[in-house]
Amino acid sequence: LEFRRVLFRSALAKFETNAADAFLWLDLRDADGVADVFGLRLAFEAHAAEDGAPAVIELSFDEGTPRRMTLEGDAHGNGELTLAQDSAIGVLRLRVISGRIGVRGIAPWRPSLSPQTVRLDVFAIPGATVAPWANLDPASLAAAPGIAAPELVVLEYGTNEANNAFDPRSYRAALSKAVLNLRTAFPQAECVLLGPPDRGVKARKGRVDKLRYARLHARINEIQAQIAVERGCRHFDWQRFMGGAGSVYDWARARPPLMSGDLTHLSRDGTRRSANAFANFLGW
């Protein structure tokens, strides 16, 4: 599979404000600075201000004349706005005039896409762990803006699961329900669980258990592998690819370093090496 261009076509974002004159600029140009977007769908949540003023935004394309629009959603304030013009859009500027407004998703339209293009949707919901996905409504997920029958869905969680008191039984139950929701929303898509990489502990005075997080991440990967089999998914064991528990220290000592100084986040080189391994895992 040839990567001509990777597109972040839609994202469940949560940019929310009730401050008048707050603004958001969206640069829709590609990596070469070329404008090739002719329209987009914008999912929003809009509510009136405390003084009753309606939710109003001002928007403009590039250096064009700003236009004001009143946003009206459903009973929960959720709605969708379709924007388009005859010429390509480089930058979209949004400014809040009144009300409480949140941007929930952005789905650009590019008519020039070739068959070799990989469309990549990055989704996120509030929460650093997989738990919120267990409470997600699959129908709402499937109907999110910009989603159109994905061929592959990847659920990437694990590192933050080990931050607090880790309960394997609770984690297993939450992950199983989360993956079920994902499979229900996209039953025809291939499913992959992407486990956490290895993680270390920065040295401090006194005795330090350098494998504290490594052991937890190994357990998390083990549970993910089990759930993947039960739910008809595949599992990429990132920690095992790195070399197993404790490999984070080897990656940190590599030249150039493959791990950042916090022993949690990978460096650019480490990320690139991992991405290539994941692409090979997918058969790309």
Side-chain angles (χ1 to χ4, degrees):
L1 180 65
E2 181 181 359
F3 284 80
R4 295 287 182 85
R5 182 187 303 158
V6 175
L7 302 176
F8 291 88
R9 186 161 53 91
S10 72
L12 285 182
K14 191 179 182 182
F15 305 116
E16 184 173 313
T17 182
N18 59 0
D21 288 329
F23 64 89
L24 177 67
W25 287 15
L26 301 174
D27 191 336
L28 302 172
R29 294 170 293 186
D30 66 14
D32 298 319
V34 177
D36 61 352
V37 171
F38 285 77
L40 70 153
R41 291 158 58 200
L42 188 73
F44 65 82
E45 182 180 343
H47 302 277
E50 292 183 359
D51 61 4
V56 178
I57 63 170
E58 183 179 81
L59 62 86
S60 62
F61 296 141
D62 299 312
E63 301 301 328
T65 302
R67 295 176 293 173
R68 291 195 176 188
M69 305 183 68
T70 299
L71 300 182
E72 297 181 357
D74 58 17
H76 302 287
N78 297 313
E80 191 173 297
L81 182 65
T82 300
L83 306 170
Q85 66 174 21
D86 294 333
S87 58
I89 305 167
V91 178
L92 171 65
R93 295 173 172 84
L94 301 173
R95 186 167 72 92
V96 176
I97 302 301
S98 61
R100 178 165 60 87
I101 297 171
V103 176
R104 294 291 182 261
I106 304 158
W109 174 57
R110 289 176 166 90
S112 59
L113 297 184
S114 69
Q116 291 80 18
T117 299
V118 174
R119 295 177 175 89
L120 178 61
D121 294 338
V122 181
F123 277 83
I125 58 177
T129 68
V130 78
W133 287 85
N135 301 316
L136 192 68
D137 176 17
S140 298
L141 176 60
I147 291 298
E151 297 177 50
L152 169 70
V153 291
V154 180
L155 194 67
E156 181 188 1
Y157 281 92
T159 296
N160 289 320
E161 308 284 358
N163 280 345
N164 300 313
F166 177 68
D167 179 13
R169 184 175 299 180
S170 298
Y171 171 66
R172 194 185 196 287
L175 180 64
S176 180
K177 186 61 166 63
V179 178
L180 175 62
N181 287 340
L182 197 67
R183 299 293 282 154
T184 302
F186 310 116
Q188 303 303 318
E190 181 182 358
C191 171
V192 175
L193 303 187
L194 181 57
D198 196 40
R199 181 178 176 184
V201 177
K202 296 188 68 174
R204 300 182 180 89
K205 292 183 179 180
R207 283 194 164 186
V208 176
D209 181 0
K210 290 190 174 183
L211 296 181
R212 172 191 172 194
Y213 290 116
R215 285 191 294 270
L216 289 174
H217 284 208
R219 183 69 176 117
I220 289 169
N221 274 301
E222 179 184 339
I223 295 173
Q224 286 197 12
Q226 295 169 355
I227 297 298
V229 171
E230 294 173 7
R231 296 299 187 192
C233 301
R234 300 170 65 192
H235 172 247
F236 180 75
D237 193 326
W238 198 344
Q239 185 183 44
R240 178 177 296 179
F241 160 72
M242 291 177 62
S247 57
V248 60
Y249 299 103
D250 293 330
W251 278 48
R253 287 191 293 264
R255 291 294 177 265
L258 301 175
M259 178 66 62
S260 66
D262 64 5
L263 300 179
T264 301
H265 300 90
L266 277 66
S267 68
R268 180 176 299 179
D269 291 290
T271 300
R272 183 180 295 110
R273 177 178 294 191
S274 299
N276 287 333
F278 186 59
N280 289 333
F281 169 83
L282 294 176
W284 292 359

